[in-house]
């Protein structure tokens, strides 16, 4: 039986790699729908190759192109494309239509930004399993999403390498004491605080281990990415923040680990390739050979290093712990302020270190709503983004 899948964010970094995995796995999958962001040409090429029933354009997938709506409106099917008839859907309504389509066995939510949240909830309510790569879904609304998944008996299998590692390690969650999340440390791990403060966009984007989208790469440079991952881990696995530890591991071979009550530590290791966790998430509980570039060799790797994170240099992680513990909309504020600050950094408006300072200021001033509804979550997200942008403009 083929597994029927839709991909939200098929033209992004995770989406394109997921299609490489699916192509390699041949007849294991049937693609129901592909939803892409602003890269219309790539979405068209993907549709020609993978022949989904639906394609959906959603330029809101990236808030950096929020003002770029309408590019898909000009999409015209050529003669060749007309031979494969796919239905064209648009925007958030299109995503809702895809995620309520019970033809899907699983939906890979691979877009970045808050646009991932509502479609994920819709899929859950329709009993469709989720392979989750979108961070905002859990950072903004982890309590609601996990409660709904439980209610509808839906599996949420994480795609992110760290959570995927933990998912692979856990056999009996009731006997696990602690989660240990590894962090590569990014490009500034062994640079001075001064060097980091004055880093250029190019330096921040030069990640030593992972090739990812711009926003997440900057988050990896400030370690905010690890902060967001702690919050996700808290929701996914139901662990207290005090039982989630971060350790810096520059080689990115140990993708994360868990410690059982008896002191046994189980870690998941592998070469740093997103193909592996993506494949695991969309094929779970099966395992296939798929894209395996080469066999793992301890002797070739030779050494694995670990160190404590330097919270003076990377205060974002501490801030994420604090906001996570406060709960409610605290993490919505953290996420929104950080994202707007990252975009301002990428636009050359602020320095790298300002990202933390601005995010911290917004968090300090935020009045937390304890048990927010989805509408309240989006309301806070919007309000914080406006406030952050205004603050940056007035700097
Ligand atoms: Mg990660």
């Amino acid at each position: 039986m083929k597994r029927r899948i839709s991909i939200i964010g098929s033209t992004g970094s995770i989406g394109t790699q997921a299609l490489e995995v699916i192509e390699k796995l041949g007849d294991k999958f049937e693609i129901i729908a592909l939803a892409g962001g602003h890269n219309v040409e790539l979405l068209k090429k993907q549709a020609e190759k993978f022949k989904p029933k639906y394609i959906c354009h959603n330029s809101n997938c990236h808030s950096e192109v929020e003002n770029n709506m309408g590019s898909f409106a000009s999409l015209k099917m050529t003669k060749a494309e007309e031979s494969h008839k796919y239905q064209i859907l648009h925007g958030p309504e299109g995503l809702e239509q895809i995620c309520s389509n019970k033809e899907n066995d699983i939906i890979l939510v691979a877009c970045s930004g808050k646009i991932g949240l509502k479609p994920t909830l819709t899929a859950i309510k329709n009993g469709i399993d989720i392979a989750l790569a979108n961070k905002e879904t859990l950072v903004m609304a982890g309590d609601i999403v996990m409660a709904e998944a439980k209610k509808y008996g839906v599996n949420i299998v994480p795609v992110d390498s760290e959570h995927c590692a933990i998912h692979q390690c856990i056999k009996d969650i009731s006997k696990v004491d602690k989660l240990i999340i590894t962090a590569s440390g990014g490009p500034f791990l062994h640079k001075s605080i001064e060097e980091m403060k004055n880093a250029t966009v190019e330096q921040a984007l030069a990640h030593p281990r992972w090739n990812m989208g711009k926003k997440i790469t900057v988050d990896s440079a400030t370690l905010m990415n690890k902060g967001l991952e702690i919050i996700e881990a808290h929701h996914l696995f139901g662990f207290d923040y005090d039982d989630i530890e971060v350790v810096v591991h520059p080689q990115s071979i140990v993708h994360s680990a868990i410690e059982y009550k008896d002191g046994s530590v189980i870690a998941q290791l592998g070469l740093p390739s997103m193909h592996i966790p993506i494949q695991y998430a969309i094929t779970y509980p099966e395992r296939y050979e798929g894209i395996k570039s080469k066999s793992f060799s301890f002797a070739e790797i030779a050494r694995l290093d670990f160190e404590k994170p330097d919270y003076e240099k990377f205060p974002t992680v501490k801030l994420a712990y604090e906001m996570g513990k406060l709960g409610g909309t605290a993490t919505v504020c953290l996420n929104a302020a950080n994202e707007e600050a990252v975009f301002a950094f990428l636009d050359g408006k602020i320095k790298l270190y300002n990202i933390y300072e601005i995010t911290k200021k917004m968090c300090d001033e935020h009045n937390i709503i304890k048990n927010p509804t989805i509408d309240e979550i989006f309301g806070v997200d919007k309000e914080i983004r406006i406030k952050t942008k205004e603050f940056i403009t007035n700097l």
Side-chain angles (χ1 to χ4, degrees):
M1 273 269 283
K2 284 188 183 195
R3 187 173 281 196
R4 292 162 303 175
I5 189 170
S6 290
I7 302 177
I8 310 295
S10 68
T11 55
S13 169
I14 297 291
T16 50
Q17 292 180 82
L19 286 171
E20 286 162 15
V21 167
I22 288 170
E23 187 180 10
K24 184 78 184 179
L25 291 174
D27 58 0
K28 299 269 187 294
F29 285 93
E30 178 190 342
I31 297 183
I32 303 295
L34 294 176
H38 56 293
N39 194 342
V40 177
E41 282 312 309
L42 179 57
L43 183 60
K44 280 169 70 176
K45 276 191 194 136
Q46 290 177 340
E48 283 160 31
K49 186 166 179 181
F50 293 95
K51 308 203 178 333
K53 290 187 178 177
Y54 307 92
I55 61 170
C56 177
H57 166 246
N58 197 342
S59 55
N60 270 327
C61 266
H62 290 263
S63 37
E64 47 187 325
V65 292
E66 247 170 31
N67 300 324
N68 198 19
M69 284 293 280
S71 51
F72 209 70
S74 61
L75 177 72
K76 298 258 191 312
M77 273 194 268
T78 64
K79 277 268 175 294
E81 288 159 20
E82 276 172 9
S83 63
H84 171 69
K85 294 262 195 275
Y86 46 75
Q87 197 182 329
I88 300 172
L89 309 173
H90 298 271
E93 297 76 24
L95 295 182
E96 286 300 310
Q97 202 175 323
I98 291 168
C99 290
S100 52
N101 183 343
K102 293 189 180 182
E103 283 179 283
N104 289 295
D105 296 312
I106 186 166
I107 291 179
L108 170 61
V109 184
C111 60
S112 64
K114 60 179 179 281
I115 191 88
L117 176 51
K118 278 189 177 167
T120 304
L121 281 168
T122 301
I124 291 171
K125 285 191 177 110
N126 283 281
I128 302 165
D129 285 340
I130 305 287
L132 187 63
N134 174 269
K135 284 186 188 285
E136 288 76 6
T137 298
L138 292 176
V139 171
M140 291 174 71
D143 289 331
I144 295 174
V145 170
M146 294 312 291
E148 290 286 277
K150 197 176 170 193
K151 183 174 160 190
Y152 291 95
V154 160
N155 273 327
I156 296 185
V157 185
V159 170
D160 204 354
S161 60
E162 294 80 0
H163 307 99
C164 181
I166 292 169
H167 193 272
Q168 294 187 54
C169 292
I170 290 177
K171 284 274 185 289
D172 181 353
I173 202 161
S174 70
K175 296 189 174 68
V176 178
D177 250 2
K178 188 169 82 174
L179 309 180
I180 304 162
I181 296 183
T182 53
S184 72
F188 305 111
L189 178 61
H190 294 125
K191 298 274 196 298
S192 69
I193 293 184
E194 276 316 303
E195 278 176 282
M196 190 181 155
K197 279 184 178 171
N198 295 312
T200 62
V201 171
E202 288 67 34
Q203 285 167 331
L205 290 180
H207 196 280
R209 298 285 165 199
W210 297 98
N211 185 10
M212 306 172 287
K214 278 185 186 175
K215 195 263 174 181
I216 186 174
T217 305
V218 175
D219 281 345
S220 297
T222 62
L223 249 63
M224 179 58 93
N225 183 47
K226 216 44 58 179
L228 300 176
E229 287 177 0
I230 293 161
I231 297 164
E232 290 179 274
H234 161 80
H235 290 295
L236 272 170
F237 305 109
F239 276 68
D240 286 345
Y241 285 96
D242 289 334
D243 298 326
I244 305 172
E245 189 181 296
V246 173
V247 65
V248 172
H249 167 47
Q251 290 96 346
S252 296
I253 296 294
V254 176
H255 297 309
S256 278
I258 60 172
E259 184 180 338
Y260 278 95
K261 288 183 194 305
D262 63 1
S264 276
V265 175
I266 313 283
Q268 187 260 334
L269 285 71
L271 298 172
S273 157
M274 280 312 292
H275 286 129
I276 299 170
I278 291 169
Q279 181 174 309
Y280 174 86
I282 63 174
T283 61
Y284 176 81
E286 299 293 336
R287 280 190 192 267
Y288 301 107
E289 189 172 341
I291 297 180
K292 195 172 89 179
S293 54
K294 61 180 206 171
S295 198
F296 187 86
S297 163
F298 274 102
E300 250 174 61
I301 289 159
R303 60 178 286 177
L304 300 171
D305 295 301
F306 300 94
E307 58 188 270
K308 275 190 177 171
D310 178 347
Y311 287 134
E312 204 186 320
K313 197 157 99 187
F314 300 112
T316 50
V317 184
K318 271 217 154 133
L319 182 62
Y321 270 113
E322 283 169 28
M323 293 303 110
K325 285 180 185 177
L326 287 170
T329 54
T331 56
V332 180
C333 173
L334 176 83
N335 176 67
N338 174 66
E339 185 163 315
E340 289 304 328
V342 169
F343 290 151
F345 169 70
L346 287 170
D347 284 347
K349 290 177 188 157
I350 59 169
K351 291 197 167 192
L352 186 70
Y353 202 77
N354 298 136
I355 297 172
Y356 165 73
E357 293 169 337
I358 291 165
T359 307
K360 169 102 172 83
K361 182 180 167 58
M362 295 301 143
C363 288
D364 286 345
E365 291 174 6
H366 176 54
N367 289 318
I368 298 166
I369 304 172
K370 259 302 172 194
N371 291 301
T373 63
I374 288 292
D375 286 343
E376 284 171 328
I377 287 170
F378 281 111
V380 167
D381 178 82
K382 192 175 176 186
E383 170 205 318
I384 297 296
R385 283 173 196 276
I386 292 169
K387 198 178 157 190
T388 310
K389 279 189 220 168
E390 274 173 10
F391 180 76
I392 291 169
T393 308
N394 295 330
L395 273 179

